[in-house]
Amino acid sequence: MNSYDVAIIGSGPGGYVAAIRCAQLGLKTAIIEKYSTLGGTCLNVGCIPSKALLDSSHHYEDAVKHFEEHGIDIPGEIKVNLKQMIARKQAVVDTTTGGIDFLMKKNNIDVYQGLGSFKDATHITISGEKETEIEAKNTIIATGSKPSSLPFINIDKERIITSTEALKLKEIPKHMIVIGGGVIGLELGQVYKRLGAEVSVIEYMDRIIPTMDSGLSKELNKVLKKQKFKINTSHKVKSVERKGDEIIVKADNKKGEEVEFKGDYCLVSVGRRPYTDGLNAEAAGVKLNDKGQVEVNDHLQTATKNIYAIGDVIKGAMLAHKAEEEGVFVAETIAGQKPHIDYNLIPGVVYTWPEVAAVGQTEEQLKEAGVEYKVGQFPMRALGRSRASMDLDGFVKILADKSTDEILGFHMVGARAADLVAEAVVAMEYRASAEDISRMSHAHPTFAEAVKEAALAATDNRALHV
């Protein structure tokens, strides 16, 4: 029987990053993956493939709608080759997951393919082509999550689908009904909207991206409606039925009236649930809460002290980069170090175009906590860089403490928001004031200038270009 300092169950961003960090710290490490490729949901059927399709569909939309204005004439009809688009997406996935194989070999990490299941607190049975048992002084549970559904929905994976199936459709939907106005639904909805589908979003809450600052919800709602999305908020879905190739969704609107939606595809994107199937957690004394999450303490230890859990399978935002931070945190804890994570400074991003990104506190949270704050906001359309690229929608909003000027929240809708939020994370990690950012030189012309201008607006209402 092979024996390890650390065994990791699950090879998503949390698991494989934890494995690499453990190996760097001199710990003998094994990683166990149920599927034939490493990388988990993110690399195989999540973050990476969805970004590939978002990029491809964005190129198509630019060619159809914007090239002429740029002075680029393309004779004949511009057509979507969906088969090639999906193939390119898969090539991106294959290259990326192959990169994880390389990293495992480079760091001398043993990879086991099969379902990892606890025999007891220090032994794991791996059921693959053959059954194997290994011993581990410490184990990290990084089993991730799966798409959630609603009790009355029968996901047939053909017409009533989750994000996994939406990444490999054989045809462009005529009318895609999206249940859930969160990150996943809006991103995949935008892919197919660009390719020619009609898209109707049905959201239970009173706004899309309901966990983010309401200002971002309002701006993205406005932009998506301009892109001809049909957005229906405060709608409670009560039935989803398939009749041949037609999907009928019935919902009650905020007045309690029944509304009917008919389409040829229905994407169910109502969140994700922690995945612990087959883990046999109880055999190792690991406890789950009523949401199915593995219970952990502040050190990410489970009820069994040599077993840790990270990522989507525990409480908190289901984000790949949050899982990565937790993977490093646990590896360093096992090695006797004293790492730290500030969960307030883990950014959230929506990869629509324009992108949406945020870190820190929302206005709603600050009001609820009774914190006095000031707001600095700057519109993207006031930037020369935005006009040059025709990316005029959105704004940057900085929330700063009214008395100390410390930045408490950063919220942005606009081009490259996903990249620009990192500036705010760095600033807030060092507890910078709005004035600190306002006095730093930002290259011209760039989208980043909007961050400086918003900081100027927050400092003393002294933005220069509005």
Side-chain angles (χ1 to χ4, degrees), residues 55-280:
D55 272 350
S56 295
S57 61
H58 198 169
H59 285 309
Y60 172 73
E61 184 179 53
D62 275 345
V64 171
K65 294 184 178 177
H66 303 136
F67 275 15
E68 196 176 332
E69 194 170 346
H70 282 284
I72 305 168
D73 293 328
I74 301 174
E77 186 185 353
I78 301 168
K79 294 181 181 176
V80 177
N81 182 341
L82 186 62
K83 186 177 178 183
Q84 170 55 27
M85 198 176 280
I86 299 291
R88 187 196 84 90
K89 176 266 301 180
Q90 192 56 46
V92 171
V93 169
D94 293 345
T95 302
T96 309
T97 57
I100 307 305
D101 291 334
F102 164 77
L103 290 171
M104 296 302 102
K105 290 187 182 84
K106 178 191 169 191
N107 288 282
N108 298 312
I109 296 160
D110 289 348
V111 177
Y112 292 88
Q113 189 192 333
L115 177 68
S117 182
F118 284 109
K119 184 178 178 183
D120 55 41
T122 54
H123 294 86
I124 300 165
T125 303
I126 302 159
S127 306
E129 287 182 8
K130 58 179 182 178
E131 192 165 290
T132 312
E133 188 178 314
I134 64 170
E135 184 178 40
K137 291 178 192 169
N138 300 280
T139 299
I140 304 172
I141 300 168
T143 48
S145 62
K146 292 279 184 187
S148 293
S149 184
L150 297 171
F152 51 84
I153 297 178
N154 174 32
I155 293 172
D156 61 19
K157 299 188 178 184
E158 293 173 356
R159 296 272 168 185
I160 303 171
I161 60 175
T162 69
S163 55
T164 302
E165 294 77 47
L167 293 166
K168 54 184 180 185
L169 291 183
K170 301 277 196 298
E171 63 179 1
I172 297 164
K174 295 180 184 69
H175 180 196
M176 177 177 268
I177 300 165
V178 179
I179 300 176
V183 179
I184 296 167
L186 296 181
E187 288 181 2
L188 291 171
Q190 193 172 60
V191 167
Y192 289 105
K193 184 77 190 78
R194 290 167 176 165
L195 300 182
E198 182 183 336
V199 176
S200 297
V201 177
I202 308 171
E203 169 57 46
Y204 176 74
M205 303 294 281
D206 61 356
R207 57 189 176 96
I208 57 172
I209 50 170
T211 59
M212 300 185 88
D213 188 276
S214 62
L216 300 183
S217 300
K218 189 176 177 182
E219 181 72 7
L220 186 61
N221 192 73
K222 184 176 79 177
V223 171
L224 293 179
K225 282 190 172 177
K226 200 161 62 175
Q227 294 174 7
K228 302 289 190 273
F229 272 71
K230 291 177 179 167
I231 294 173
N232 307 273
T233 53
S234 300
H235 277 59
K236 183 182 180 181
V237 173
K238 58 184 186 181
S239 72
V240 178
E241 186 183 359
R242 177 177 176 178
K243 288 185 178 176
D245 289 346
E246 185 178 59
I247 307 298
I248 301 157
V249 177
K250 291 180 180 175
D252 290 335
N253 65 18
K254 61 182 171 187
K255 295 177 183 174
E257 301 161 338
E258 185 175 276
V259 186
E260 190 173 88
F261 302 85
K262 290 183 178 179
D264 55 340
Y265 285 87
C266 177
L267 169 61
V268 181
S269 54
V270 293
R272 298 180 66 83
R273 63 174 180 84
Y275 184 74
T276 56
D277 297 13
L279 187 62
N280 199 25

Side-chain angles (χ1 to χ4, degrees), residues 232-454:
N232 307 273
T233 53
S234 300
H235 277 59
K236 183 182 180 181
V237 173
K238 58 184 186 181
S239 72
V240 178
E241 186 183 359
R242 177 177 176 178
K243 288 185 178 176
D245 289 346
E246 185 178 59
I247 307 298
I248 301 157
V249 177
K250 291 180 180 175
D252 290 335
N253 65 18
K254 61 182 171 187
K255 295 177 183 174
E257 301 161 338
E258 185 175 276
V259 186
E260 190 173 88
F261 302 85
K262 290 183 178 179
D264 55 340
Y265 285 87
C266 177
L267 169 61
V268 181
S269 54
V270 293
R272 298 180 66 83
R273 63 174 180 84
Y275 184 74
T276 56
D277 297 13
L279 187 62
N280 199 25
E282 61 277 6
V286 172
K287 293 189 171 75
L288 308 182
N289 65 19
D290 55 3
K291 293 179 181 175
Q293 298 165 327
V294 176
E295 288 190 346
V296 291
N297 62 17
D298 290 344
H299 300 289
L300 303 183
Q301 283 174 307
T302 66
T304 304
K305 295 304 179 191
N306 67 311
I307 300 175
Y308 300 77
I310 62 172
D312 289 5
V313 82
I314 66 170
K315 63 186 177 182
M318 289 186 173
L319 298 168
H321 45 284
K322 178 245 193 193
E324 289 183 14
E325 295 302 322
E326 290 175 336
V328 170
F329 177 95
V330 168
E332 293 177 353
T333 299
I334 291 169
Q337 298 182 8
K338 297 196 182 306
H340 173 71
I341 297 175
D342 185 346
Y343 285 98
N344 183 51
L345 298 186
I346 292 178
V349 178
V350 187
Y351 291 90
T352 49
W353 197 264
E355 293 174 336
V356 185
V359 66
Q361 300 292 292
T362 65
E363 286 204 57
E364 292 76 21
Q365 288 170 327
L366 292 175
K367 283 172 185 168
E368 192 178 331
V371 176
E372 290 195 334
Y373 65 95
K374 47 190 181 166
V375 181
Q377 188 161 314
F378 188 83
M380 298 301 288
R381 66 177 53 250
L383 291 178
R385 182 71 184 85
S386 293
R387 289 192 291 277
S389 68
M390 296 168 57
D391 293 304
L392 300 174
D393 292 315
F395 59 80
V396 173
K397 177 167 75 172
I398 288 176
L399 309 177
D401 187 280
K402 195 168 185 179
S403 58
T404 68
D405 198 37
E406 181 181 348
I407 299 166
L408 304 175
F410 173 93
H411 306 278
M412 179 177 179
V413 179
R416 301 294 166 209
D419 301 304
L420 292 173
V421 72
E423 177 175 356
V425 175
V426 172
M428 291 168 72
E429 183 67 50
Y430 287 93
R431 300 194 67 175
S433 66
E435 186 171 10
D436 286 332
I437 288 184
S438 77
R439 294 195 177 276
M440 293 174 187
S441 178
H442 287 61
H444 173 78
T446 58
F447 296 119
E449 287 177 286
V451 179
K452 174 172 178 155
E453 292 277 5

